[in-house]
Amino acid sequence: MSDITQKKMEQIAQMWNARGKGLITHMGLEIEEVSIEGVRVRMPFNPDFCVDRDQTLLHGGILTALLDSVFGLANFVAIEGVSTMATLDLRVDYLRPAHSRADVIVRAHCFRQTRHIAFDSGSIWFDGHENEEIARGSASFALTRGDTSLFEAMTRGKAS
Amino acid sequence: MNLQTVNANVSRVPFFRFLNFEVQSLDSLHVAAEMTFESRHIGNPVMEHYHGGIIASFMEATAAIAVHPDFAEVPAKPINLTVDYLRPAVKGSLYARANVTRKGKRIASVSVISWQTAPEKPIAEGLYHFLLV
């Protein structure tokens, strides 16, 4: 596992915390592992994300949202000098009903980057059931590179 | 299936309440819905754009209702999806229209488009499959 710089780790923590509003905050995401090879993130169980009255079955959409978010983090970690990042397209396969009140674990990585595009894939399972994936997804992202880094843009946004 | 009943069903689903949308019209093959902007929908906090996952979720919800509008408890079972993101979605209402392309005995295929200012300027397009058994 290759290491990433302490500076980048600090930036990630700051950027994540800068998202004082929005879906990522609402999902309560916790970063468990970060490296160039990929990231691992935990989403605590949240009854708001369920479809059934008993609140034990997660809606597929929240898994899609989770993949999209964690792909963004994987890109930030893997790619130097990104200024903006936009999801071009996203494909998600729902492999099993997401029936549990356990935390959700997602693992994602950027498997190819070019000057303009990044390609990511990832999978999701319930904590303790890594061999029973509930969803798998892949996405491509349009990147721009410029003077203002994504980190600067995000943290400046917090100050304003 | 009347609108009132469908929206009553929608309001019973916790995640649909989280999304905060209302079905505006429906027939046997189409559903149109409007989602109200909430700060919890934000993906890019600097620009205050919708999160791509929220857009995909809203489109999935309308697709599921188009397939099975009279769901008693749980909406139609999704198999997979692909979404093309065409423009950022800004603060304000988001609209979606789902069109059931094919509904067989076991599988349904649904295409969905979402927009803000006009359907000719789509925010995202999606294809969704559902298992009917």
Side-chain angles (χ1 to χ4, degrees):
Chain A
M1 192 164 102
S2 56
D3 290 330
I4 61 163
T5 62
Q6 185 64 32
K7 189 182 165 214
K8 198 139 195 176
M9 276 305 291
E10 282 164 12
Q11 285 189 348
I12 290 165
Q14 264 191 56
M15 201 159 74
W16 214 257
N17 296 332
R19 302 195 163 200
K21 59 186 167 185
L23 184 64
I24 290 183
T25 308
H26 208 91
M27 290 197 290
L29 301 187
E30 299 159 25
I31 301 173
E32 297 204 321
E33 238 179 75
V34 174
S35 81
I36 307 286
E37 277 84 47
V39 296
R40 184 183 147 118
V41 172
R42 173 183 296 264
M43 182 180 80
F45 174 76
N46 185 339
D48 286 352
F49 301 152
C50 292
V51 286
D52 56 333
R53 206 168 304 186
D54 299 341
Q55 298 184 305
T56 60
L57 179 65
L58 293 176
H59 188 264
I62 200 69
L63 304 178
T64 299
L66 184 57
L67 280 165
D68 192 27
S69 298
V70 178
F71 288 157
L73 177 64
N75 287 338
F76 180 75
V77 171
I79 309 169
E80 285 300 329
V82 175
S83 148
T84 67
M85 187 166 31
T87 315
L88 263 185
D89 79 332
L90 180 65
R91 178 194 169 91
V92 180
D93 286 311
Y94 298 125
L95 305 175
R96 288 183 172 76
H99 217 134
S100 175
R101 287 186 154 237
D103 288 358
V104 170
I105 310 292
V106 54
R107 185 153 184 79
H109 77 297
C110 170
F111 59 88
R112 166 80 179 142
Q113 46 162 305
T114 69
R115 176 157 181 79
H116 299 288
I117 308 292
F119 301 90
D120 288 70
S121 74
S123 54
I124 299 182
W125 60 87
F126 284 115
D127 195 13
H129 296 84
E130 185 159 0
N131 52 357
E132 291 169 38
E133 269 175 280
I134 51 176
R136 195 182 282 202
S138 57
S140 57
F141 292 81
L143 309 174
T144 58
R145 298 166 189 260
D147 297 335
T148 316
S149 77
L150 187 62
F151 170 70
E152 284 163 9
M154 299 280 303
T155 40
R156 231 196 353 252
K158 186 197 176 190
S160 65
Chain B
M1 203 67 206
N2 70 58
L3 268 181
Q4 218 173 0
T5 318
V6 174
N7 280 315
N9 287 344
V10 166
S11 70
R12 273 196 290 273
V13 176
F15 189 66
F16 288 1
R17 289 199 297 269
F18 180 83
L19 292 175
N20 193 15
F21 69 91
E22 195 173 309
V23 175
Q24 293 174 311
S25 70
L26 83 164
D27 60 40
S28 64
L29 293 173
H30 306 94
V31 163
E34 175 180 0
M35 179 165 71
T36 305
F37 180 82
E38 302 281 351
S39 70
R40 59 179 184 262
H41 295 160
I42 293 174
N44 179 332
V46 180
M47 308 295 290
E48 300 202 315
H49 291 159
Y50 274 92
H51 192 288
I54 290 290
I55 301 169
S57 296
F58 173 46
M59 294 201 298
E60 181 176 320
T62 54
I65 295 164
V67 164
H68 195 187
D70 51 350
F71 67 94
E73 171 111 11
V74 175
K77 284 183 221 163
I79 301 168
N80 57 23
L81 63 100
T82 57
V83 182
D84 248 25
Y85 292 103
L86 303 164
R87 285 178 184 79
V90 298
K91 213 180 211 176
S93 284
L94 187 68
Y95 300 90
R97 183 171 171 83
N99 172 37
V100 180
T101 320
R102 173 166 152 84
K103 193 171 177 179
K105 284 199 186 74
R106 294 176 305 133
I107 310 275
S109 202
V110 187
S111 74
V112 189
I113 184 170
S114 66
W115 73 90
Q116 290 192 295
T117 49
E120 297 76 35
K121 284 192 156 186
I123 298 292
E125 288 183 354
L127 285 172
Y128 293 79
H129 288 114
F130 293 89
L131 189 63
L132 304 176
V133 289

